[in-house]
Amino acid sequence: MKPTATIALIGNPNTGKSTLFNCLTGLRQHIANYPGITVDKKTGSMDVCGRTLEVVDLPGTYSLKAASEDERVVMDVLEGRNGARPDLLVFVVDATNIKRNLLLVSQAAELGLPAIIALNQCDAAKRNGITIEVAELSQRLGVQVIETVATRGRGVEDLKKAVCAALDHPSRLQRIEWPTCVTDSREMVRNGVRNLGGGEISDAEALRLIFDADSAHAASLPNQSQVALMIHSAREKIRAGGYSPGSVESVLHYRHIERLLDGVVASVGPVARTHESVDALLLNRFWGLLIFLGVMYVVFQSLYSWAGPLMDSVETATGWVQELVGPWLESAPTLQSLVVDGIIGGVGGVVVFMPQILILFFFIALLEDTGYMARAAFLMDKIFGWCGLNGKSFVPMLSGYACAIPGVMAARTLEDPKARLTTILMVPLMSCSARLPVYVLLIGAFIEPAYGPIVAGWALFGMHFIGIALALPIAWVVNRLYLKIKPQPFILEMPDYRVPTLRNVFFRMWERGREFVVRAGTVILAFSVLIWALLYFPRDASVEEKTRAAYVAEVSVSSTVAGVETALADPDSEQFTVLQQRIDGAYIEQSYLGRFGKWAQPVFDPAGFDWKITVGVLSSFPAREVIIATLGILYNLGAEVDEGSDDLRTVLAQEKWTEGPRMGQPVFTLPVVIGIMVFFALCAQCGATVAVVAKELNWRWAAISFFGMTALAWISAVLIYQVSGLFV
Amino acid sequence: MSSVLSLDKVPVGSGGLISAISSECDRAGRLSVLGFIPGRSLRVVRVAPLGDPISVSLDAQEISLRLTEAALIQVSVQP
C-alpha cells in the first residue's frame, strides 16, 4: 500500500528515538543517503488505523543550528527541500532531561508543522524522582503528549493512536514571542534574501540565518557576500536590542521553556544520580584506565577468537561451493574460471567480512546502550584530540587492527563530521589481520634466521606500530591543511547507565550487516570479477605450449623425451604437477595484470622490487591477503602455499636478479624485505575497504584515501631502500 | 565571597553561576543550546585521568567538554 502520509521522528541524541522508530516500523525499514551527503536517511513504514504511513527517523540533534552539511539534513527535511514536508512531527523527548529536550521542540515550533510529543524514558524519570503533569504540559504546549518507555515497548500503541488523531485533527506547537529586535531583523533578512534573488524563505529559515554564525543555509544562497553583510546588520540590530546574537535564541527559548514547565515538572531535590558512584570507579585515574583496557581487551580478543573460526568456515564453505560448481562447467574453462574464481570467490570475499562486522557491532551496541561508550571517549579524548580526532575514534581505530571494514563503519559513532572523516581516513592505516601473512613470511624467511627470534618479535611489533605512529601526525596535517570543515567542540553527554535490551542490540547488528552486504557487497563483487579478468585474460593457448616445450626440453636433459611425455600424461606424477605450476606461473606473467606489472616494474625499481614483487604488489590491490598465493604461482610453487611454507621461504631466499645492473645479486636483501613489509603496512591494498570508504563518505574521499596511502607506501619503501643504500 | 573564574580553572567539586559566555562564536552558540547560558548553576564533577576533558553537571545532565571550550565560560564560583 502506498503511504498516505509521512511522519518524522525528531529529537536529541540518546533519547531512545531509534528504539522507538524500531518499535513503530519493525523490520519494514530501509536506509539510503540524503542527496549529496552521507548522512543516513532511515525510513520505514507502519500501519495504523487502516492506513500505511511513511516514518522518517531524522538524525539526533540538540538544536536546529546547522554549521555543517550533515546538520542541515534535519532542517532540509522539515522545510521540504528534498520532497514534501512531513505531515506530522513526532518529537521524542527524554523525560529525565525535559528542559533541554524541549529546546529543539521550541525551536521547531517556528516551522508551524503539526506535532505530537512522545515523552520517553518515563520510568527512568520516575526513578530519578521527577514527576511530570502530562495533561497540563500538553495543554500548555498545545499538542498531545504521550508517555512512552520505548525499550519496553510501553506506550507505543497509545502513540500510534495519537498519530492517527493528530493526522485527522492536526494541532501545532505554541510559538514563542520574540522581542521586536528579533522580529524586525527576521523581516529584514526575509526581504533581503528575496531582493538578492534567493527566493522566499520561511520565518524559521530566516531565524536560522540570523542565529547561526556560520549557517550552512547561507552557503546555498546567491550573492554570498551581500547575504553575509545583511546577516551582520541583522545581528547588530539584535545587539542594539540588548541581546547577544550568539546566545539570544537559547536564552529566550529557555526562558519560555522554564515558564512552560513551571508547576508542571517537580523534582524531589537534587537526587544523587544513579551513575555517580559507578563513574567514580569507571572514570578513576587508575581503575578507570585499567577497566577500560580490560574492556577493550575482551572486545578485541572476542573479535579475534570468535571471528577467526567463523571466517575460516566461510572460506571452507566458499571452497566447497567452488568444488561443487566447478565440474559442472568443465566444458567451458573461461566460464568455469569466471564463476568459480570471479563470482563465487567474490561472494565469499564479501561474506567473509560478516563475522567481524556482526561481532564488532554487537559490542558497540552494548557499549553504547549501556552508556559506557561516552565514558570511554571521555577517558581517551586527550590522546586523540590533538590531531583532530576525538575520544570516540578509539574504537574504530582499534577495530582497524582486526579489519578496516568494520572499523570504517564503526566511525559512525562519531557525531562530529570532521572527526569522523579523519577517523575513516586513518583506520585503513591500522595493520589489519590480512597483513599478518606477509610479515610472517618475510620475517620468518629473512629476519628470524639472521637476527634471531627476539629481533623477529620486535620487527612484528614494529610493523603493527608503524600505521598508528604515522596515522596521528598525518591526521594532524590533513586537518590543518586540507579539511575546510570547521572544527566542532567535543561536547559529550554522559548518559545514565542503562541495561541494554537484546532486541535492540541484535537490531543494530542486523542493520549494519545488511547495509554492508547491500551497499558495499555489490562493489566488492564487481572488483573481484574485474581483477579475475585482469589476471585471466588474454590467456593465449601458445603460452601453455611454449611452457610445456621448454619444460620437456629442460627435463629431457636427464631423461628421454618419451620418458618425460609418459610422466606428463600421468596427472599424479611429480612432473605433471611441476608443469601445471609453471603453466599457471606463465599465464599470470602473460595476463594483462602480469604485463602491466612488468611494464610498471621501473616504478618500483627505486624500492628494489623486481617484476615478480611488482606483479605481487599490483595483484594484491583488490585484497592484500592474496599476495602469498600469487607469489606461490609466480615462483612456480602453485597457489596452495602459505606464509609458513618452507618451500616459498627457500625460493625467495635464492631468488636473484636475472637482468639489469643488479644481475646475479639476491633480490630479497634486508632493505627490500623491510620495504615490502612497510609497503604492505601502509598501502591501500583492499578493494573492500575502498568500497566501504566510498559508501561511508564518497568516491572522491575513497580516491584520496587510496592514492594517498599508496603514495605513502611507495615513498616509504623507496626511502628505506635508497637511504639504506647510502650506508651499505 | 565569590570570584569569577573561567570554567577550565574551576577546581573539581566546585561550581557556581555562569556569569558570562564569550559571545559571537559558533562554539558559544552550541554551548548555549545545551544550557550553558548566564544565570544557570553548574558544578565541575571530574577531570579525565589525562587532564582533559572535564565533566560538568548542569541541571539534570552531566556534560563533558574540553578545556578549550570550558575557557569560554565564566563562572562566579560559590564555595
Side-chain angles (χ1 to χ4, degrees), chain B residues 4-12 14 44 54 67 70-71 73 75 77:
Chain B
V4 175
L5 288 176
S6 63
L7 181 57
D8 58 321
K9 306 267 180 359
V10 176
V12 174
S14 305
V44 177
I54 61 172
L67 295 177
I73 301 165
V75 182
V77 182

Side-chain angles (χ1 to χ4, degrees), chain A residues 62-63 65 67 71 96-97 99-100 103 214 235 239 244-247 250-251 254 258 273 275-276 279-280 283-285 289 378-379 381-383 385 389-390 486 488-494, chain B residues 21-38 40 43 45-69 72:
Chain A
Y62 292 116
S63 82
K65 275 187 188 300
E71 291 172 309
T96 63
N97 191 0
K99 198 200 279 182
R100 192 203 66 208
L103 180 84
D214 295 281
R235 287 167 76 93
R239 197 190 303 282
S244 158
S247 60
S250 307
V251 168
Y254 274 125
E258 274 161 16
R273 299 192 53 195
H275 70 242
E276 291 208 349
D279 272 351
L283 299 178
N284 177 283
R285 192 168 287 247
L289 289 176
F378 181 70
L379 292 173
D381 185 58
K382 175 94 177 182
I383 296 176
L389 305 170
N390 71 40
K486 285 192 48 148
Q488 289 196 15
F490 179 63
I491 295 172
L492 191 67
E493 198 185 339
M494 295 291 195
Chain B
I21 301 200
S22 81
S23 61
E24 277 315 295
C25 82
D26 183 43
R27 290 188 291 176
R30 282 175 187 274
L31 289 169
S32 74
V33 164
L34 294 169
F36 289 94
I37 51 177
R40 293 274 194 104
R43 187 171 62 86
V45 181
R46 65 173 50 80
V47 180
L50 303 174
D52 192 11
I54 61 172
S55 137
V56 172
S57 87
L58 173 77
D59 271 333
Q61 54 190 347
E62 187 178 327
I63 291 178
S64 134
L65 65 170
R66 287 182 182 157
L67 295 177
T68 48
E69 268 83 46
L72 303 172

Side-chain angles (χ1 to χ4, degrees), chain A residues 49-341:
Chain A
C49 46
R51 46 182 158 179
T52 304
L53 304 179
E54 187 184 28
V55 189
V56 182
D57 185 18
L58 292 172
T61 177
Y62 292 116
S63 82
L64 294 177
K65 275 187 188 300
S68 71
E69 288 281 300
D70 298 32
E71 291 172 309
R72 234 179 76 183
V73 163
V74 174
M75 206 45 195
D76 282 351
V77 171
L78 299 184
E79 285 290 351
R81 296 214 174 273
N82 314 310
R85 297 176 91 191
D87 299 293
L88 177 69
L89 296 182
V90 178
F91 287 94
V92 185
V93 166
D94 178 355
T96 63
N97 191 0
I98 187 165
K99 198 200 279 182
R100 192 203 66 208
N101 276 254
L102 284 180
L103 180 84
L104 178 65
V105 177
S106 184
Q107 274 185 329
E110 292 294 325
L111 294 155
L113 285 167
I116 60 172
I117 287 177
L119 194 59
N120 198 27
Q121 292 168 8
C122 287
D123 55 341
K126 283 194 188 91
R127 277 201 303 277
N128 288 7
I130 300 167
T131 47
I132 301 169
E133 301 292 337
V134 175
E136 180 61 24
L137 180 64
S138 164
Q139 184 75 34
R140 293 191 189 180
L141 284 166
V143 301
Q144 297 180 78
V145 177
I146 316 297
E147 289 180 277
T148 58
V149 183
T151 46
R152 297 180 192 286
R154 249 186 259 155
V156 173
E157 287 310 312
D158 292 344
L159 185 64
K160 286 183 178 172
K161 277 184 210 135
V163 167
C164 280
L167 286 171
D168 292 336
H169 307 284
S171 50
R172 290 171 173 79
L173 288 157
Q174 292 271 328
R175 287 164 70 158
I176 78 169
E177 284 185 27
W178 297 105
T180 42
C181 64
V182 174
T183 48
D184 285 355
S185 51
R186 184 181 69 196
E187 286 319 301
M188 189 181 114
V189 167
R190 268 171 67 107
N191 294 332
V193 168
R194 191 187 309 120
N195 294 340
L196 289 169
E200 280 300 325
I201 58 168
S202 65
D203 280 2
E205 282 174 302
L207 289 175
R208 294 266 53 87
L209 288 174
I210 299 168
F211 292 141
D212 303 352
D214 295 281
S215 172
H217 305 281
S220 60
L221 293 172
N223 292 315
Q224 295 279 312
S225 54
Q226 276 161 290
V227 169
L229 269 176
M230 180 184 67
I231 290 171
H232 181 75
S233 57
R235 287 167 76 93
E236 284 310 311
K237 211 182 263 276
I238 291 174
R239 197 190 303 282
Y243 296 96
S244 158
S247 60
V248 59
E249 190 190 16
S250 307
V251 168
L252 293 175
H253 277 303
Y254 274 125
R255 217 177 267 171
H256 171 70
I257 290 164
E258 274 161 16
R259 271 200 304 272
L260 205 79
L261 293 179
D262 185 43
V264 170
V265 176
S267 177
V268 286
V271 281
R273 299 192 53 195
T274 46
H275 70 242
E276 291 208 349
S277 52
V278 187
D279 272 351
L281 176 69
L282 291 184
L283 299 178
N284 177 283
R285 192 168 287 247
F286 175 74
W287 293 110
L289 289 176
L290 200 68
I291 292 170
F292 172 77
L293 290 177
V295 169
M296 289 301 138
Y297 179 81
V298 169
V299 170
F300 290 96
Q301 268 302 314
S302 319
L303 194 59
Y304 266 115
S305 53
W306 296 351
L310 287 170
M311 291 168 82
D312 289 345
S313 43
V314 170
E315 275 164 11
T316 313
T318 309
W320 182 74
V321 174
Q322 284 171 326
E323 275 173 33
L324 197 75
V325 173
W328 283 25
L329 301 165
E330 199 86 66
S331 53
T334 304
L335 184 66
Q336 182 194 32
S337 183
L338 168 67
V339 170
V340 170
D341 298 328

Side-chain angles (χ1 to χ4, degrees), chain A residues 363-364 367-368 370-378 392 395 413 492:
Chain A
F363 283 110
I364 285 181
L367 293 177
E368 286 202 322
T370 51
Y372 187 71
M373 193 66 108
R375 273 76 185 181
F378 181 70
K392 289 191 174 181
V395 168
T413 51
L492 191 67

